[in-house]
């Protein structure tokens, strides 16, 4: 079975992270598949809404750490950046269903979704500093905008998880539901959206986002350059090595 499932039904394209044994961590091939699916959905008149979902126990553990070490993203054409630019500029509505941990890009991709539904077991975290890295997906811009500076600093500098209710309070999620119902709830909302006039959905989303589309792209590019450089530096090497060896990282020398 593929690590990314793409399902089309009644105008809804559902993209499912399906690598549960590795906690839906995302490989280069999975970014490629998601970037391709978004590009196809953008160009396909029959697709009106996209849904991102994971499993009721796990949304995503973020980048696959081994894959990231072996195949670090090389430039803006790499699959991870194609995916990020694709989701950030996607013209039609995107609904996300999140249950369980949403780590790193598992959380930052949600800032580019229009409606987010969370299971009450959802745990959001952006532990880039703990990995010797820096924010990506324009999260250095979008997290302070949504959370306010001090809560953003807590999320991005400490990198500790926050739960579904806290995410609801800051506006990152629209509603908290039982984890067994999250994906169905998102599908029901997607069906409501799919029944509406597509041109109005697209124009409304464009108007809401138009003031910062180019800024988001610019920030993503700047973050990407730093992230790519930092991936190769000692702090990230130590953090990733520690993860692979199942030990605590030692940053005393970096
Ligand atoms: N990359 C690669 N493999 C990962 C992974 C990741 N980001 N996250 C989890 N896995 C793998 C583990 O190595 C383990 O593999 P194994 O069974 O071959 O040993 C398997 O998935 C299960 O993970 P485990 O940590 O045992 O699950 P858990 O339920 O105890 O914890 C998480 C779940 C998501 C909290 C935890 O796996 C985690 O923190 N992952 C790393 C998140 C991270 O730092 N992401 C990078 C962001 S840039």
């Amino acid at each position: 079975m593929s690590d990314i499932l793409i399902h089309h039904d009644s105008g809804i394209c559902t993209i499912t992270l399906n690598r549960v044994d590795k906690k839906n961590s995302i490989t280069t091939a999975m970014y490629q598949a998601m970037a391709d699916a978004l590009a196809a959905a953008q160009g396909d008149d029959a697709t009106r809404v996209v849904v991102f979902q994971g499993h009721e126990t796990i949304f995503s553990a973020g980048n696959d750490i081994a894959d990231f070490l072996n195949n670090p993203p090389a430039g803006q054409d790499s699959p991870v950046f194609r995916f990020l630019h694709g989701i950030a500029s996607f013209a039609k509505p995107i609904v996300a269903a999140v249950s369980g941990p949403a780590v790193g890009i598992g959380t930052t991709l949600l800032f580019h979704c229009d409606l987010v539904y969370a299971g009450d077991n959802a745990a959001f975290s952006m532990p880039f500093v703990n990995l010797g890295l820096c924010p990506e997906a324009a999260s250095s811009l979008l997290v302070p905008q949504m959370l306010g500076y001090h809560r953003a600093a807590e999320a991005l500098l400490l990198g500790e998880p926050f739960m579904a209710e806290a995410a609801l309070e800051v506006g990152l999620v629209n509603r908290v539901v039982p984890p067994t119902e999250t994906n169905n709830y998102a599908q029901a909302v997607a069906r409501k959206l799919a029944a509406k006039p597509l041109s109005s959905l697209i124009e409304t989303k464009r108007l809401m986002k138009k003031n910062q589309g180019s800024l988001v792209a610019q920030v993503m590019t700047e973050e990407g350059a730093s992230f790519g450089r930092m991936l190769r530096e000692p702090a990230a090497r130590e953090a990733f090595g520690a993860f692979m060896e199942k030990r605590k990282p030692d940053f005393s020398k970096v």
Side-chain angles (χ1 to χ4, degrees):
M1 187 87 91
S2 172
D3 291 340
I4 295 291
L5 305 178
I6 314 283
H7 178 74
H8 294 271
D9 184 31
S10 309
I12 301 167
C13 169
T14 302
I15 301 176
T16 305
L17 293 154
N18 183 46
R19 193 178 179 231
V20 176
D21 60 327
K22 293 290 180 188
K23 301 290 167 184
N24 284 343
S25 54
I26 308 175
T27 61
T28 308
M30 291 164 74
Y31 282 120
Q32 183 76 45
M34 292 194 293
D36 290 348
L38 283 176
Q42 182 92 283
D44 173 20
D45 291 343
T47 299
R48 304 165 80 88
V49 183
V50 165
V51 175
F52 273 99
Q53 63 182 25
H55 185 260
E56 65 190 50
T57 60
I58 178 78
F59 183 63
S60 174
N63 293 306
D64 180 299
I65 287 178
D67 188 61
F68 234 49
L69 276 175
N70 296 331
N71 306 301
Q76 296 294 314
D77 292 333
S78 58
V80 61
F81 291 119
R82 271 193 65 223
F83 168 69
L84 287 177
H85 286 289
I87 195 171
S89 63
F90 196 72
K92 301 170 189 177
I94 306 178
V95 181
V98 184
S99 297
V103 186
I105 200 162
T107 289
T108 58
L109 75 80
L110 302 173
F111 287 82
H112 302 284
C113 297
D114 301 292
L115 294 160
V116 180
Y117 298 99
D120 57 22
N121 62 346
F124 305 87
S125 61
M126 294 173 279
F128 303 114
V129 166
N130 304 343
L131 293 165
L133 296 170
C134 67
E136 36 77 319
S139 54
S140 61
L141 171 73
L142 300 174
V143 177
Q145 272 183 359
M146 184 178 285
L147 274 62
Y149 182 80
H150 288 103
R151 281 196 284 206
E154 196 169 51
L156 286 169
L157 297 179
L158 285 173
E160 288 171 1
F162 53 98
M163 301 303 291
E165 286 299 335
L168 182 67
E169 191 195 322
V170 296
L172 176 59
V173 310
N174 292 85
R175 183 179 290 251
V176 178
V177 298
T180 48
E181 288 171 27
T182 319
N183 289 357
N184 286 341
Y185 196 93
Q187 286 293 328
V189 172
R191 283 195 294 276
K192 271 195 206 171
L193 287 167
K196 297 184 188 295
L198 182 58
S199 55
S200 291
L201 292 171
I202 290 175
E203 187 59 9
T204 301
K205 178 166 175 172
R206 186 189 74 76
L207 289 165
M208 286 198 290
K209 296 226 166 196
K210 77 173 180 1
N211 287 333
Q212 68 173 21
S214 59
L215 180 58
V216 165
Q218 184 192 317
V219 170
M220 256 185 207
T221 302
E222 185 179 347
E223 289 172 345
S226 298
F227 195 98
R229 170 178 53 75
M230 294 177 87
L231 257 182
R232 294 169 176 80
E233 291 180 351
R237 294 270 148 192
E238 168 58 16
F240 286 15
F243 178 81
M244 304 299 288
E245 293 158 20
K246 299 189 187 291
R247 61 171 172 82
K248 275 194 181 316
D250 173 7
F251 296 124
S252 61
K253 296 188 180 61
V254 296

